[in-house]
Short mmCIF file of all heavy atoms in Angstrom, two decimals:
data_model
loop_
_atom_site.label_atom_id
_atom_site.label_comp_id
_atom_site.label_asym_id
_atom_site.label_seq_id
_atom_site.Cartn_x
_atom_site.Cartn_y
_atom_site.Cartn_z
N TYR A 747 4.08 3.93 -17.11
CA TYR A 747 2.77 4.59 -17.05
C TYR A 747 2.94 6.10 -17.19
O TYR A 747 3.91 6.68 -16.66
CB TYR A 747 2.14 4.24 -15.70
CG TYR A 747 0.96 5.07 -15.27
CD1 TYR A 747 -0.34 4.59 -15.44
CD2 TYR A 747 1.13 6.32 -14.66
CE1 TYR A 747 -1.44 5.34 -15.02
CE2 TYR A 747 0.04 7.08 -14.26
CZ TYR A 747 -1.24 6.58 -14.44
OH TYR A 747 -2.32 7.32 -14.04
N GLY A 748 2.00 6.74 -17.89
CA GLY A 748 1.98 8.20 -17.96
C GLY A 748 0.54 8.69 -18.04
O GLY A 748 -0.41 7.90 -17.91
N ASP A 749 0.37 9.96 -18.27
CA ASP A 749 -0.98 10.53 -18.30
C ASP A 749 -1.02 11.62 -19.38
O ASP A 749 -0.10 12.43 -19.50
CB ASP A 749 -1.34 11.12 -16.94
CG ASP A 749 -2.79 11.54 -16.86
OD1 ASP A 749 -3.15 12.58 -17.45
OD2 ASP A 749 -3.58 10.81 -16.20
N VAL A 750 -2.11 11.66 -20.12
CA VAL A 750 -2.23 12.60 -21.24
C VAL A 750 -2.49 14.04 -20.76
O VAL A 750 -2.41 14.97 -21.55
CB VAL A 750 -3.34 12.08 -22.19
CG1 VAL A 750 -4.72 12.37 -21.62
CG2 VAL A 750 -3.21 12.62 -23.59
N GLY A 751 -2.77 14.21 -19.45
CA GLY A 751 -3.11 15.53 -18.92
C GLY A 751 -1.95 16.19 -18.17
O GLY A 751 -0.78 15.87 -18.39
N THR A 753 -1.44 16.15 -14.76
CA THR A 753 -0.86 15.23 -13.77
C THR A 753 -1.53 13.87 -13.90
O THR A 753 -2.62 13.75 -14.45
CB THR A 753 -1.07 15.71 -12.31
OG1 THR A 753 -2.48 15.71 -12.03
CG2 THR A 753 -0.49 17.09 -12.06
N CYS A 755 -3.25 10.28 -12.32
CA CYS A 755 -4.39 10.14 -11.41
C CYS A 755 -3.95 10.24 -9.95
O CYS A 755 -4.73 10.61 -9.09
CB CYS A 755 -5.14 8.83 -11.68
SG CYS A 755 -5.81 8.77 -13.36
N LEU A 782 -1.14 5.05 -21.01
CA LEU A 782 -1.32 6.51 -20.88
C LEU A 782 -2.73 6.80 -20.37
O LEU A 782 -3.72 6.46 -21.02
CB LEU A 782 -1.08 7.17 -22.25
CG LEU A 782 -0.84 8.68 -22.20
CD1 LEU A 782 0.46 9.01 -21.46
CD2 LEU A 782 -0.77 9.28 -23.61
N ASP A 783 -2.77 7.41 -19.19
CA ASP A 783 -4.04 7.62 -18.47
C ASP A 783 -4.68 8.96 -18.85
O ASP A 783 -4.16 9.72 -19.66
CB ASP A 783 -3.74 7.54 -16.96
CG ASP A 783 -4.84 6.85 -16.19
OD1 ASP A 783 -6.01 6.93 -16.62
OD2 ASP A 783 -4.53 6.24 -15.14
N PHE A 784 -5.81 9.28 -18.21
CA PHE A 784 -6.71 10.35 -18.69
C PHE A 784 -7.13 11.29 -17.57
O PHE A 784 -8.20 11.88 -17.62
CB PHE A 784 -7.93 9.64 -19.28
CG PHE A 784 -8.79 10.45 -20.19
CD1 PHE A 784 -8.27 11.14 -21.26
CD2 PHE A 784 -10.17 10.48 -20.00
CE1 PHE A 784 -9.10 11.85 -22.12
CE2 PHE A 784 -11.01 11.19 -20.85
CZ PHE A 784 -10.47 11.88 -21.91
N CYS A 785 -6.29 11.43 -16.52
CA CYS A 785 -6.69 12.29 -15.39
C CYS A 785 -6.21 13.73 -15.63
O CYS A 785 -5.29 13.98 -16.40
CB CYS A 785 -6.08 11.77 -14.10
SG CYS A 785 -7.04 10.43 -13.39
N ASP A 786 -6.84 14.65 -14.92
CA ASP A 786 -6.41 16.04 -14.85
C ASP A 786 -6.18 16.64 -16.24
O ASP A 786 -5.11 17.16 -16.55
CB ASP A 786 -5.14 16.14 -13.99
CG ASP A 786 -4.84 17.58 -13.58
OD1 ASP A 786 -5.74 18.44 -13.75
OD2 ASP A 786 -3.73 17.84 -13.09
N ILE A 787 -7.22 16.57 -17.05
CA ILE A 787 -7.10 17.02 -18.44
C ILE A 787 -7.83 18.34 -18.65
O ILE A 787 -8.89 18.57 -18.06
CB ILE A 787 -7.68 15.98 -19.42
CG1 ILE A 787 -9.04 15.51 -18.94
CG2 ILE A 787 -6.73 14.83 -19.64
CD1 ILE A 787 -9.77 14.68 -19.94
N VAL A 791 -8.61 18.47 -24.21
CA VAL A 791 -8.32 17.03 -24.26
C VAL A 791 -9.61 16.23 -24.05
O VAL A 791 -9.84 15.21 -24.69
CB VAL A 791 -7.25 16.64 -23.22
CG1 VAL A 791 -6.95 15.15 -23.29
CG2 VAL A 791 -5.97 17.44 -23.44
N GLN A 792 -10.44 16.75 -23.15
CA GLN A 792 -11.74 16.10 -22.92
C GLN A 792 -12.55 16.06 -24.21
O GLN A 792 -13.17 15.05 -24.55
CB GLN A 792 -12.51 16.89 -21.84
CG GLN A 792 -13.90 16.36 -21.52
CD GLN A 792 -13.84 15.10 -20.67
OE1 GLN A 792 -13.15 15.07 -19.65
NE2 GLN A 792 -14.55 14.07 -21.08
N PRO A 795 -10.05 13.80 -27.30
CA PRO A 795 -8.97 12.96 -26.74
C PRO A 795 -8.12 12.31 -27.81
O PRO A 795 -6.92 12.11 -27.64
CB PRO A 795 -9.71 11.90 -25.91
CG PRO A 795 -11.14 11.95 -26.34
CD PRO A 795 -11.38 13.33 -26.86
N PHE A 799 -4.04 11.69 -27.52
CA PHE A 799 -3.50 10.32 -27.53
C PHE A 799 -2.79 10.09 -28.87
O PHE A 799 -1.79 9.37 -28.93
CB PHE A 799 -4.61 9.29 -27.30
CG PHE A 799 -5.02 9.19 -25.85
CD1 PHE A 799 -6.16 9.83 -25.38
CD2 PHE A 799 -4.26 8.45 -24.94
CE1 PHE A 799 -6.53 9.74 -24.04
CE2 PHE A 799 -4.62 8.36 -23.61
CZ PHE A 799 -5.76 9.00 -23.15
N CYS A 818 -5.73 4.53 -21.81
CA CYS A 818 -6.52 4.29 -20.60
C CYS A 818 -7.50 5.45 -20.40
O CYS A 818 -7.31 6.29 -19.53
CB CYS A 818 -5.56 4.16 -19.41
SG CYS A 818 -6.36 3.77 -17.86
N ALA A 819 -8.50 5.54 -21.27
CA ALA A 819 -9.42 6.68 -21.20
C ALA A 819 -10.82 6.28 -20.73
O ALA A 819 -11.74 7.09 -20.86
CB ALA A 819 -9.48 7.40 -22.54
N TRP A 820 -10.96 5.10 -20.22
CA TRP A 820 -12.17 4.57 -19.59
C TRP A 820 -13.48 5.08 -20.14
O TRP A 820 -14.34 5.53 -19.40
CB TRP A 820 -12.19 4.77 -18.07
CG TRP A 820 -10.99 5.36 -17.40
CD1 TRP A 820 -9.87 4.68 -17.07
CD2 TRP A 820 -10.79 6.71 -16.96
NE1 TRP A 820 -8.98 5.51 -16.48
CE2 TRP A 820 -9.52 6.75 -16.38
CE3 TRP A 820 -11.56 7.87 -17.01
CZ2 TRP A 820 -8.99 7.92 -15.84
CZ3 TRP A 820 -11.03 9.03 -16.47
CH2 TRP A 820 -9.78 9.04 -15.90
N GLN A 821 -13.64 4.99 -21.45
CA GLN A 821 -14.93 5.40 -22.01
C GLN A 821 -15.45 4.29 -22.89
O GLN A 821 -14.90 4.05 -23.96
CB GLN A 821 -14.77 6.66 -22.85
CG GLN A 821 -14.44 7.87 -22.02
CD GLN A 821 -14.20 9.07 -22.90
OE1 GLN A 821 -13.95 8.95 -24.09
NE2 GLN A 821 -14.30 10.24 -22.31
N TRP A 828 -11.94 5.78 -32.50
CA TRP A 828 -10.64 6.45 -32.68
C TRP A 828 -9.50 5.66 -32.06
O TRP A 828 -8.40 5.63 -32.60
CB TRP A 828 -10.68 7.87 -32.13
CG TRP A 828 -11.04 8.02 -30.67
CD1 TRP A 828 -12.27 8.21 -30.14
CD2 TRP A 828 -10.13 8.03 -29.55
NE1 TRP A 828 -12.21 8.32 -28.78
CE2 TRP A 828 -10.89 8.22 -28.39
CE3 TRP A 828 -8.75 7.90 -29.43
CZ2 TRP A 828 -10.34 8.27 -27.11
CZ3 TRP A 828 -8.19 7.95 -28.16
CH2 TRP A 828 -8.98 8.14 -27.02
#
Side-chain angles (χ1 to χ4, degrees):
Y747 165 99
D749 188 286
V750 76
T753 64
C755 298
L782 197 65
D783 218 330
F784 198 52
C785 278
D786 195 13
I787 47 170
V791 180
Q792 178 75 50
F799 282 100
C818 183
W820 355 279
Q821 292 176 341
W828 58 268

